[in-house]
Amino acid sequence: MNAPSLTVRTDAAPAAGVSQAHESARAQVQGVAPYVDDIVELKGTLYAAPVTSALAHGLLRGIDCSAALAMASVVGVVLADDIAGDPLLATYAHDEPILARERVEHVGQVVALVVASSVMQARKAARQVKLDVEPLPATLSVRQALAEQSRVLPPVTVRRGDPDAAIERAAHRLSGSLEVGGQEHFYLEGQIAYAVPQEQGQWLVHSSTQHPGEVQHWIAHALGIDSHRVTVQCRRMGGGFGGKETQAGHMAVWAALAARKFARPVKLRLDRDDDFLITGKRHPFEYDYRVGFDDSGLILGLKLMMAANCGFSADLSGPVADRAVFHADNAYFLSDVEIVSHRCKTNMQSQTAFRGFGGPQGMIVIEAIMSDIARSLGLDPLAVRRRNFYGVGERDVTHYQMRVEDNILEPLVSTLARTSGYEQRRQDIALFNAASPVIKRGLAITPVKFGISFTATLFNQAGALVHVYTDGSVQINHGGTEMGQGLHTKVAQVVADELGVPLAQVLVTASDTSKVPNASATAASAGTDLNARAAQYAAAQVRSSLAQFVAGLDGCGAGAVQFAGGRVSSPRQVRDFADVVRQAYANRIQLWSDGFYRTPKIHYDKTTLTGRPFYYFAYGAACTEVAVDTLTGESRVIKVDILHDVGQSINPAIDRGQIEGGFVQGMGWLTTEQLVWNAQGKLSTHAPSTYKIPATGDIPAHFKVDFWPEPNREDNVFGSKAVGEPPFMLAISVFEAIRDAVAGTLPAGQPVVLKAPATPEHVLAALSRP
């Protein structure tokens, strides 16, 4: 489809480009915005609860359900033998069973479902099911998996130049390792699905999911039916962060299997402990590196090994690990480099998507290397970073052969260094530390260059429907999902301006596979880029039809007809938008349209990991100051200054919220959110009592966010840039500031060996390293 001509708004009160309240804000504050668990249940609804493995690895010899079946209100159980379709989930690797059949592969793997007439009775009965499992040796660490060559996918190597020779020729060389933990999504609304049988073998499934189309596909695959018989709806999620991209599909499939067996609606909602034990997390990573550099800190050669802990199945580990490879350069030109990426299989939850999708795990290691180089040379870490920045017109091709065409790194970072008072603060901190034997402060500026687009090119497409009713009101449906990030609000703003109507006249409805088919996941920070553009194209088609109609009435060209402020103006007459719509309907003019958008310019060879996987880059930088107690290992963030590139913001308030929230979530990943598995492979940190996300008291009083004042240089909707994921990686400045504080206690030039997250225990270990 050719892109329709789009409106350039000239009136004084556009909907886009200004802060507008989130479309559900008032309802959410009042407690009347419904989530899946709030949907009025149909008569006869049953409730399912999972039966999970208590062993990390073993052969499943038998399942004894007799005690559960004898309990009051229990209707029955669902086992692997009840699956009418494929017993494996319809994932790309096709390696994950819907329900464990012959073996269990992690603590928390779902083996069966107990179905009862109440939630609590289903959960109590599930605990009475006895599993006969013969234990097998378990692989519980990345290093063990590497030694055993235990993999979910083959390793991938990206190489440019001759890094071995470059390192040997370099005046200076360093080697080191880094260990970075995973992260629990901790969405406020847990995983849930409600499966409702419909007439003639059809299904309606309410799912808290970022990817209704995939949930539809998975359910159809498991039930052995065609996709057109399954409709999946999602009005909103109470948070997702990547944890409801694939993981929500499990709940929906399980609920649908139970509903099919008992021919009644079934709801499955995990409690928080089960959610922790069953669902995947951010991938933990481990790294080894060798780097050669000159006297100024310029990297001449780098060899990097990255090993991802993928858990027991592939899930999205392939593209996550690929994106980590893509972002191992972050902001820096690497002339001679080799990156080897291992995708390790362990007997843990199958790790999955999480905000940044491998990008944070790629960036953190190169930032650690930059700081290590600076300390070894006695240089300011920011000077070393700037020395290695991508250039403009030179040194501007990534290790995966994409040219960096929109580079604003140097002016953005220079501006932040100036506005944050970086140089003076470094001097002040040096004086403070010299006089403070216990509390040490640290300071760091770290940049972000994050590629925007799905690395799998086929997902970079979107569809939308725009309906104009005869009273002038507008309804939109698009393939994206709302998880609190404001996607529906931004889409409504763009469409309101395209039609020239007030924002209050525009409504976005629930994501629905029966309206927009085959939609991509709302992920990769591309939700607005894709769906708002598709909706804009649909609205432009309707506007064009109305403009041609008015032009015929007034004897002018369609280009002379303007839409603004709820009015339609021609050189001859000004009419209310609703009046024009009614007249157009009476003259049988189409008042609805579809829109389709596919991201231009991108291409990518997944076998070589080369090409142009990203439409553009989003940039940013953060300056963070911390204080570290050298006696306890505790740390506190004191000040944060952020300068972030959102392009021309569609909604500054929402974008600011995404930046602040992303930074704080990233801060949690790198300071307090520690996932701990015990020696038997059970996740010990499976509740708020043991897993600590940031709280209000962790937010510094000085938390300043500014926008870089430049539109997107690519032709993106409204000139905006994606803002969901890039701010997360600004929090790497917190980790580097803590390392900077620790370095002040060590002999000059000694490397800082600090595991992430920088818990007090890990900080104390780094402080006491000889």
Side-chain angles (χ1 to χ4, degrees):
M1 177 187 293
N2 292 327
S5 60
L6 302 177
T7 295
V8 177
R9 290 298 301 274
T10 58
D11 59 293
V18 295
S19 295
Q20 305 277 4
H22 188 286
E23 50 90 20
S24 295
R26 185 178 296 274
Q28 286 168 321
V29 169
Q30 293 175 331
V32 295
Y35 295 83
V36 172
D37 206 28
D38 300 313
I39 295 171
V40 176
E41 296 167 1
L42 296 176
K43 182 179 179 180
T45 293
L46 300 174
Y47 306 89
V51 177
T52 58
S53 170
L55 288 179
H57 195 200
L59 298 176
L60 183 58
R61 299 300 191 188
I63 305 173
D64 181 0
C65 303
S66 57
L69 291 171
M71 294 177 66
S73 302
V74 172
V75 176
V77 297
V78 179
L79 304 172
D81 290 341
D82 293 312
I83 300 170
D86 192 331
L88 299 179
L89 288 168
T91 61
Y92 293 103
H94 203 231
D95 64 345
E96 184 173 349
I98 294 172
L99 296 169
R101 184 185 293 267
E102 297 174 350
R103 66 173 59 209
V104 295
E105 296 191 82
H106 76 90
V107 175
Q109 184 173 5
V110 176
V111 177
L113 305 166
V114 172
V115 181
S117 57
S118 76
V119 174
M120 294 312 298
Q121 199 68 358
R123 291 176 178 174
K124 290 176 182 177
R127 290 195 285 270
Q128 299 305 311
V129 175
K130 294 179 173 58
L131 303 181
D132 180 7
V133 180
E134 179 183 330
L136 292 173
T139 302
L140 298 175
S141 73
V142 164
R143 297 294 173 177
Q144 181 185 357
L146 287 171
E148 296 170 352
Q149 297 188 10
S150 177
R151 304 168 179 143
V152 296
L153 294 166
V156 170
T157 299
V158 174
R159 183 182 179 94
R160 174 165 67 179
D162 189 345
D164 290 292
I167 292 170
E168 290 306 310
R169 289 196 305 267
H172 306 277
R173 291 179 289 275
L174 277 178
S175 61
S177 300
L178 178 64
E179 183 177 330
V180 177
Q183 187 177 23
E184 164 63 30
H185 300 87
F186 219 108
Y187 22 65
L188 289 179
E189 176 203 30
Q191 298 279 3
I192 184 170
Y194 183 33
V196 182
Q198 305 286 287
E199 63 164 301
Q200 302 181 67
Q202 297 176 60
W203 293 86
L204 172 62
V205 179
H206 300 281
S207 173
S208 181
T209 176
Q210 294 174 235
H211 199 176
E214 183 171 70
V215 171
Q216 176 195 34
H217 174 57
W218 282 21
I219 292 170
H221 196 75
L223 297 182
I225 60 178
D226 293 331
S227 292
H228 69 230
R229 294 189 175 275
V230 180
T231 296
V232 176
Q233 293 179 352
C234 177
R235 174 57 183 91
R236 61 174 58 82
M237 289 164 275
F241 311 116
K244 295 178 181 177
E245 186 170 346
T246 61
Q247 304 294 289
H250 300 70
M251 315 305 135
V253 167
W254 294 331
L257 287 171
R260 177 186 177 276
K261 180 170 182 176
F262 300 108
R264 290 166 66 179
V266 172
K267 180 185 285 186
L268 192 159
R269 174 172 57 84
L270 297 183
D271 69 14
R272 187 64 67 175
D273 291 273
D274 282 344
D275 204 326
F276 265 83
L277 291 173
I278 292 170
T279 63
K281 325 295 178 197
R282 182 185 297 281
H283 290 67
F285 267 61
E286 295 194 28
Y287 316 81
D288 295 327
Y289 74 85
R290 288 181 58 230
V291 63
F293 48 96
D294 67 13
D295 292 342
S296 69
L298 180 69
I299 290 179
L300 304 175
L302 172 65
K303 296 194 71 173
L304 175 62
M305 186 283 294
M306 314 170 75
N309 184 339
C310 302
F312 82 100
S313 70
D315 192 76
L316 293 171
S317 294
V320 166
D322 287 350
R323 189 173 272 266
V325 171
F326 287 139
H327 287 82
D329 60 339
N330 191 14
Y332 313 111
F333 177 74
L334 303 174
S335 60
D336 294 79
V337 59
E338 178 185 83
I339 302 171
V340 180
S341 170
H342 295 280
R343 293 94 197 271
C344 300
K345 179 174 182 175
T346 59
N347 292 114
M348 296 177 175
Q349 295 87 345
S350 186
Q351 314 303 357
T352 191
F354 200 129
R355 195 177 198 167
F357 202 80
Q361 294 98 314
M363 290 184 188
I364 192 170
V365 65
I366 193 66
E367 293 301 332
I369 290 169
M370 289 294 167
S371 295
D372 289 347
I373 290 171
R375 278 188 279 274
S376 73
L377 295 173
L379 299 175
D380 184 333
L382 180 57
V384 171
R385 287 182 165 86
R386 293 170 72 172
R387 179 72 178 89
N388 284 279
F389 276 170
Y390 277 103
V392 177
E394 59 177 2
R395 293 170 44 86
D396 61 354
V397 177
T398 68
H399 54 292
Y400 49 91
Q401 304 305 309
M402 177 176 172
R403 189 172 300 279
V404 181
E405 299 173 343
D406 56 359
N407 186 355
I408 57 172
L409 284 162
E410 180 55 45
L412 186 148
V413 171
S414 295
T415 299
L416 178 64
R418 175 176 52 79
T419 58
S420 65
Y422 174 80
E423 292 186 3
Q424 183 60 52
R425 286 167 66 185
R426 283 204 72 85
Q427 296 175 24
D428 294 344
I429 287 171
L431 294 174
F432 174 90
N433 287 343
S436 176
V438 175
I439 305 298
K440 301 294 183 181
R441 292 190 175 184
L443 184 69
I445 287 182
T446 58
V448 166
K449 175 184 68 67
F450 189 78
I452 304 299
S453 291
F454 287 95
T455 52
T457 305
L458 76 162
F459 293 136
N460 293 287
Q461 57 176 300
L465 298 171
V466 170
H467 299 166
V468 178
Y469 295 95
T470 53
D471 62 355
S473 63
V474 181
Q475 186 184 93
I476 306 166
N477 191 271
H478 62 85
T481 54
E482 175 63 49
M483 61 196 88
Q485 84 280 34
L487 172 60
H488 286 354
T489 307
K490 288 185 173 182
V491 171
Q493 288 176 269
V494 169
V495 168
D497 279 357
E498 194 61 37
L499 294 174
V501 299
L503 181 60
Q505 233 166 285
V506 181
L507 177 70
V508 181
T509 58
S511 306
D512 188 327
T513 58
S514 68
K515 293 186 177 181
V516 177
N518 311 314
S520 299
T522 303
S525 298
T528 300
D529 290 5
L530 294 173
N531 295 288
R533 190 61 124 186
Q536 185 182 32
Y537 283 177
Q541 299 282 6
V542 176
R543 192 199 74 241
S544 177
S545 297
L546 292 175
Q548 292 176 42
F549 170 67
V550 171
L553 294 177
D554 292 355
C556 64
V561 180
Q562 301 295 312
F563 295 73
R567 286 177 163 73
V568 181
S569 305
S570 77
R572 288 186 54 190
Q573 190 173 346
V574 177
R575 302 173 174 87
D576 285 343
F577 179 80
D579 291 339
V580 170
V581 168
R582 280 190 288 271
Q583 292 179 55
Y585 172 74
N587 283 272
R588 296 179 295 174
I589 304 298
Q590 182 174 323
L591 296 174
W592 63 271
S593 184
D594 63 319
F596 179 79
Y597 174 71
R598 61 178 186 176
T599 309
K601 296 187 177 182
I602 54 176
H603 56 90
Y604 161 56
D605 184 338
K606 65 180 182 181
T607 60
T608 62
L609 264 65
T610 59
R612 178 174 178 159
F614 308 121
Y615 185 32
Y616 63 87
F617 293 102
Y619 298 90
C623 178
T624 297
E625 182 176 344
V626 302
V628 173
D629 187 323
T630 60
L631 297 182
T632 66
E634 295 172 284
S635 63
R636 178 170 291 278
V637 176
I638 299 172
K639 290 184 179 180
V640 175
D641 293 90
I642 291 171
L643 181 56
H644 196 70
D645 168 34
V646 300
Q648 182 171 284
S649 176
I650 295 174
N651 191 316
I654 285 176
D655 286 349
R656 186 175 300 276
Q658 286 293 293
I659 294 167
E660 293 172 347
F663 182 92
V664 171
Q665 191 174 49
M667 181 176 75
W669 172 50
L670 294 173
T671 56
T672 62
E673 297 186 43
Q674 185 178 22
L675 293 166
V676 178
W677 284 267
N678 66 19
Q680 289 73 47
K682 181 180 179 180
L683 182 65
S684 300
T685 50
H686 54 81
S689 58
T690 50
Y691 185 83
K692 299 297 185 181
I693 63 173
T696 54
D698 298 307
I699 312 303
H702 179 98
F703 194 168
K704 184 171 179 282
V705 175
D706 290 317
F707 294 166
W708 179 253
E710 182 183 349
N712 194 333
R713 297 181 188 178
E714 294 292 349
D715 181 20
N716 203 47
V717 61
F718 198 71
S720 66
K721 284 194 174 184
V723 73
E725 291 173 300
F728 182 94
M729 286 143 283
L730 296 171
I732 294 173
S733 62
V734 175
F735 188 66
E736 286 306 309
I738 293 173
R739 294 179 79 227
D740 184 59
V742 171
T745 70
L746 303 175
Q750 180 171 318
V752 176
V753 181
L754 176 62
K755 295 180 181 179
T759 61
E761 294 86 352
H762 288 163
V763 171
L764 282 176
L767 288 165
S768 61
R769 182 178 170 84

